[in-house]
Amino acid sequence: MSKYVAWVTQALFIISLLSGLIVVFVYYPSNAYDSVQKLSFITPFGLFFRELHYFSSEIFIFSILVHILIELSKKEIKINFKSWIYSIFALLVALVLMFTGFVLKADQSANAAAEVAFSLLKDTPFLDKFLPLVRDNFVFYWKFFVWHGLFLPLIIEYAILKHVRKLSVNISYFTIALGVTLLVSLFLNLPRDIGLDEKVLHVKGPWFFWGAENMLQAGLSVLGINVVIILPFLLLIGMYKSNTKLLKILLLLWVIIYAYFSV
Amino acid sequence: MLNKKRRKFLNLLPYTLVGGFSYPVVKFFLFNDKPEIKMLIPLKELKEGITYIEKSKIFIYKNSQNIDIYNAHCTHMGCILNFNKDTKQFNCPCHKSRFDIDGTRLRGPAKRDLDKIAFKIKNKTLQVG
């Protein structure tokens, strides 16, 4: 079962990569919001490729999670430790890719998400040194664009290659992945872009950040948020050496608490 | 002799190329001077109440006696604030902090008042920065 999910996950990654390669041609970081709107409403097939990129990436994240959950449900994790670490790392990079992708849509919620990320980095000891890696004071979305379009795809490709040893496309799984993505994009809509001049009472970041956002609103410190974010990754790493009930319960507790804060 | 020199040069070439190409990458990521906010606004162009300057992300508050300039970023997590004309308050759309029109914090999670920005008035012109 885990193998089949892995094949679909790889296919989803390739669909996301290829659709991203198409939308990048109409994206201008210096005029980000307008270029996204142009892509969605003027460029022929622009919305189709934007939806394909968005939904394949979302399903990619879900399939990584399912893939990891299947491995955890087994009595012992059968892959080697390095391969396990690379899969956890790939999940982390995939989430950062999703976050940078969310920011690149450049609407009000994207802008707010970027500002919150800057503040989190700025107020975290040691990580504050890395702020210039993402914040560009001249073209706001420029560094997000470079990370999302170049460095992060290279890093995740490296992690996936180290995890599976060979990145290959099985045409059957590719067809399944493409079919599922198209089906989902038929029934679901992209989250609405909030215009830069719109007066809104509340803006939200990407769905996997809602829990952290609500914890921030409840008054949790930046250090606390960092612990909340890093904890599941540490638990997943720890599960390789001792796939004990205690760690599984802790992870489940984390999921329940985070889900509670997310809604 | 010439061969040796050429070989030495060729051996150094890859390092030079790597160094040359990595310079813009390192500069791009690590050095980013923050542009100072510098603006000149004729006083007569300023309306009473709140004016938002999108480019510099600042709010200018002018009333009959006074002018104040605030950073439009929330002091909690940096989101851009909205000004509500009805309640005369600044609202944070991210985590719902609130600030009064004079920048005083009304409701958390923000812990401090809005940051004020220094300015001068010279020749009937507001000089920011």
Side-chain angles (χ1 to χ4, degrees):
Chain A
M1 179 67 178
S2 185
K3 219 180 198 175
Y4 304 130
V5 177
W7 278 107
V8 174
T9 309
Q10 275 197 49
L12 284 163
F13 171 65
I14 288 161
I15 295 168
S16 172
L17 205 66
L18 292 178
S19 50
L21 272 176
I22 295 170
V23 297
V24 82
F25 284 104
V26 281
Y27 189 85
Y28 298 92
S30 56
N31 198 13
Y33 180 75
D34 288 344
S35 64
V36 171
Q37 297 312 304
K38 192 182 158 198
L39 168 75
S40 306
F41 301 111
I42 297 173
T43 312
F45 300 106
L47 186 62
F48 171 77
F49 283 109
R50 189 182 167 197
E51 286 191 333
L52 197 65
H53 186 57
Y54 174 80
F55 287 113
S56 59
S57 313
E58 293 280 346
I59 306 168
F60 172 60
I61 288 278
F62 278 108
S63 61
I64 295 180
L65 289 173
V66 171
H67 183 46
I68 289 175
L69 280 179
I70 292 172
E71 283 301 318
L72 288 178
S73 66
K74 292 175 184 168
K75 273 192 179 169
E76 57 177 272
I77 297 160
K78 283 179 183 157
I79 56 173
N80 66 49
F81 184 59
K82 262 192 180 174
S83 187
W84 179 248
I85 293 287
Y86 277 116
S87 66
I88 310 293
F89 181 61
L91 172 65
L92 177 70
V93 179
L95 288 169
V96 180
L97 258 168
M98 294 281 289
F99 182 81
T100 49
F102 181 90
V103 168
L104 286 181
K105 72 186 180 117
D107 67 343
Q108 271 193 60
S109 57
N111 192 288
E115 293 290 358
V116 172
F118 293 156
S119 292
L120 280 176
L121 274 179
K122 195 179 75 190
D123 297 338
T124 306
F126 178 69
L127 286 184
D128 57 346
K129 309 280 181 296
F130 295 95
L131 191 59
L133 290 180
V134 285
R135 187 160 74 182
D136 191 284
N137 290 315
F138 296 96
V139 178
F140 191 82
Y141 296 103
W142 177 232
K143 284 183 179 172
F144 284 101
F145 177 67
V146 175
W147 277 108
H148 186 78
L150 181 66
F151 291 114
L152 289 171
L154 285 175
I155 293 169
I156 200 168
E157 268 168 42
Y158 178 77
I160 293 173
L161 277 173
K162 281 284 183 183
H163 176 62
V164 295
R165 291 186 205 97
K166 199 174 113 190
L167 191 67
S168 52
V169 185
N170 178 316
I171 196 73
S172 319
Y173 292 107
F174 188 83
T175 314
I176 293 171
L178 187 63
V180 169
T181 309
L182 290 175
L183 209 64
V184 170
S185 57
L186 259 181
F187 289 104
L188 297 178
N189 291 323
L190 285 172
R192 192 177 73 83
D193 298 331
I194 303 170
L196 300 176
D197 297 328
E198 269 184 65
K199 289 269 178 217
V200 281
L201 289 176
H202 190 46
V203 289
K204 278 178 169 182
W207 60 267
F208 49 85
F209 216 61
W210 292 350
E213 291 261 26
N214 288 335
M215 285 177 192
L216 279 170
Q217 191 173 320
L220 189 66
S221 67
V222 168
L223 191 68
I225 290 296
N226 283 316
V227 172
V228 169
I229 292 171
I230 212 161
L231 190 64
F233 294 100
L234 293 179
L235 288 173
L236 283 170
I237 291 168
M239 275 174 183
Y240 186 84
K241 293 281 177 195
S242 59
N243 196 1
T244 57
K245 262 193 176 172
L246 176 72
L247 290 183
K248 281 183 181 170
I249 290 168
L250 278 176
L251 188 64
L252 186 67
L253 262 177
W254 183 90
V255 171
I256 293 168
I257 294 170
Y258 199 81
Y260 171 77
F261 272 97
S262 295
V263 289
Chain B
M1 185 67 187
L2 190 69
N3 239 346
K4 239 183 178 178
K5 266 188 179 174
R6 189 186 292 169
R7 192 171 297 158
K8 207 174 172 184
F9 171 75
L10 286 173
N11 281 341
L12 282 174
L13 196 63
Y15 298 107
T16 320
L17 284 176
V18 169
F21 280 115
S22 56
Y23 170 73
V25 177
V26 172
K27 187 174 181 287
F28 175 81
F29 278 119
L30 296 184
F31 303 103
N32 195 6
D33 301 326
K34 194 165 185 169
E36 274 180 47
I37 302 172
K38 274 191 176 166
M39 257 184 331
L40 295 173
I41 306 170
L43 281 178
K44 62 179 180 188
E45 280 184 17
L46 273 180
K47 289 177 282 177
E48 289 236 338
I50 294 287
T51 309
Y52 176 56
I53 311 286
E54 161 73 30
K55 201 180 160 197
S56 320
K57 306 272 188 282
I58 56 171
F59 286 111
I60 302 175
Y61 172 41
K62 184 185 175 192
N63 60 24
S64 50
Q65 301 137 5
N66 201 4
I67 291 179
D68 269 324
I69 302 181
Y70 313 117
N71 189 333
H73 292 270
C74 178
T75 52
H76 176 226
M77 297 304 288
C79 295
I80 303 292
L81 299 163
N82 289 329
F83 181 69
N84 186 328
K85 278 181 188 165
D86 302 326
T87 57
K88 295 194 171 169
Q89 287 174 0
F90 296 101
N91 300 326
C92 174
C94 293
H95 309 113
K96 298 181 180 172
S97 295
R98 266 190 211 159
F99 303 87
D100 207 352
I101 196 164
D102 62 1
T104 315
R105 186 194 82 107
L106 294 174
R107 195 173 90 178
K111 289 189 173 125
R112 46 189 183 84
D113 299 343
L114 290 184
D115 294 325
K116 285 191 178 177
I117 288 173
F119 66 92
K120 282 180 212 161
I121 295 176
K122 249 185 189 176
N123 304 329
K124 293 183 180 173
T125 304
L126 188 75
Q127 297 184 355
V128 186

